[in-house]
Amino acid sequence: MSELLFKIRDLNIYNKNGKALLENINFDISRTGIFAILGETGSGKTLLSRGLIGFMPQGISASGNIFFYDEQKEYKILDNGKFADTTPLRGKLFMWIPQACAGALNPRINCLGQITLPLQKICKLSKKEAAERAEEMLEILELGSNIKAMYPHEISGGMKVRLMLATATAMRTKTLILDELSKGLDENRCKKLMELIGKCRQEYKMQIGIITHQLNLAAEYANQVLVLHKGKMIDFGSTKEVLINNRKPYVEALWKALPENGMELVDYGSDRT
């Protein structure tokens, strides 16, 4: 099995007017636990996370290369500036869960159906097999049997995240990227969610990526960290080196911007490292 999960080389992403949104991004993500992409709002975290699986908004263009590795096979997500059609790979090889989970759930389908329908359509499970696996995931993620007949608008934001996690895990998705998974959750609920994510990762051999502006979350759970600021890569490496031992000025500013430290983010220029 390849030790790499993603390899990104000379990645640049542009909006429809040709303005660079991400510039000169180069890094390798290995299969060593959880990876995190950090930065303040507008730094390019979500755009980069979507780029990793080729799930890009309309009007976006790019240059460079993105490779994804599944065991011995290499997939070219971005090949010299051209994104591949990754639709057949989503759900099976990787899944991206947006911070607005409600938008990713079908409001006309109950919570049980949110899990069973992809299992039937994409994984080709029978109706009975899909239902049995869905029940299993609802139990593992501590959602309870009462949620089965409920609809997305009837459950909390934290439960929506867990429902999406249940769907991904039921499909045996190999790499799961969660965008701002802790948004709107208090510290205890966030910790519980991370415990459940860790449980799924260990049980089903999933690779996990988290997109967040919360350095505390990354410092506690991630093994590798990428830091973005205004579309540029500020730092990348082990969590200990990036967030603890050798903090760069911008990373130090992010720490000081945490609520408990006053939330005063220094306005560093994008050329500062």
Side-chain angles (χ1 to χ4, degrees):
M1 177 183 292
S2 172
E3 294 182 357
L4 284 178
L5 182 63
F6 287 102
K7 180 169 71 176
I8 289 78
R9 292 292 180 269
D10 303 320
L11 174 65
N12 296 275
I13 294 181
Y14 311 93
N15 66 14
K16 61 182 180 180
N17 297 318
K19 179 183 177 181
L21 304 176
L22 290 172
E23 298 182 70
N24 195 30
I25 306 296
N26 290 274
F27 63 94
D28 293 341
I29 296 175
S30 61
R31 295 176 177 273
T32 54
I34 295 174
F35 69 89
I37 300 177
L38 305 175
E40 85 277 25
T41 299
S43 60
K45 303 186 301 298
T46 294
L47 188 63
L48 177 57
S49 67
R50 292 184 64 160
L52 292 178
I53 64 170
F55 184 47
M56 302 303 293
Q58 288 188 348
I60 293 294
S61 60
S63 61
N65 297 276
I66 299 174
F67 303 92
F68 173 78
Y69 296 90
D70 172 47
E71 298 179 345
Q72 301 301 320
K73 189 168 183 179
E74 176 187 87
Y75 294 88
K76 294 182 178 180
I77 307 300
L78 179 68
D79 186 9
N80 292 318
K82 184 177 180 180
F83 278 105
D85 179 10
T86 59
T87 304
L89 306 179
R90 294 179 210 153
K92 294 181 179 179
L93 289 186
F94 39 62
M95 183 180 289
W96 176 75
I97 297 182
Q99 58 178 292
C101 283
L105 296 169
N106 190 326
R108 298 182 178 181
I109 300 175
N110 64 28
C111 292
L112 184 64
Q114 305 284 342
I115 305 175
T116 58
L117 287 181
L119 289 176
Q120 292 175 262
K121 292 184 177 181
I122 299 175
C123 300
K124 306 304 180 184
L125 269 62
S126 68
K127 186 175 181 179
K128 180 181 178 182
E129 291 171 329
E132 289 175 349
R133 188 178 291 185
E135 294 270 6
E136 174 190 356
M137 298 318 307
L138 289 175
E139 182 178 351
I140 289 175
L141 288 161
E142 300 178 11
L143 283 164
S145 59
N146 292 337
I147 197 177
K148 292 189 295 184
M150 298 173 70
Y151 287 80
H153 71 275
E154 298 177 302
I155 63 177
S156 68
M159 293 176 78
K160 288 184 178 73
V161 175
R162 279 190 279 162
L163 182 59
M164 291 290 291
L165 180 59
T167 301
T169 310
M171 295 176 69
R172 304 298 186 254
T173 298
K174 296 188 177 182
T175 297
L176 180 62
I177 301 175
L178 301 110
D179 191 356
E180 298 288 4
L181 75 165
S182 60
K183 188 174 183 179
L185 302 182
D186 60 31
E187 184 177 350
N188 289 334
R189 287 190 176 91
C190 183
K191 185 174 182 179
K192 182 62 179 178
L193 178 60
M194 289 305 301
E195 288 175 355
L196 292 171
I197 288 170
K199 183 178 179 180
C200 291
R201 187 177 73 84
Q202 292 292 337
E203 181 71 21
Y204 300 103
K205 305 296 187 290
M206 299 173 70
Q207 304 297 319
I208 302 291
I210 58 174
I211 315 304
T212 184
H213 62 273
Q214 296 184 329
L215 274 70
N216 288 329
L217 188 71
E220 184 171 357
Y221 295 102
N223 299 81
Q224 294 175 290
V225 172
L226 170 70
V227 183
L228 293 175
H229 176 52
K230 295 183 178 179
K232 293 187 177 182
M233 193 171 77
I234 298 298
D235 205 356
F236 175 77
S238 72
T239 303
K240 186 176 182 180
E241 287 301 303
V242 174
L243 296 184
I244 309 299
N245 290 346
N246 296 304
R247 294 181 187 172
K248 293 190 174 182
Y250 175 67
V251 176
E252 188 68 39
L254 284 177
W255 276 112
K256 291 178 180 179
L258 292 175
E260 59 267 31
N261 295 328
M263 299 182 70
E264 294 182 2
L265 178 62
V266 178
D267 184 19
Y268 285 89
S270 59
D271 59 338
R272 284 286 296 271
T273 58

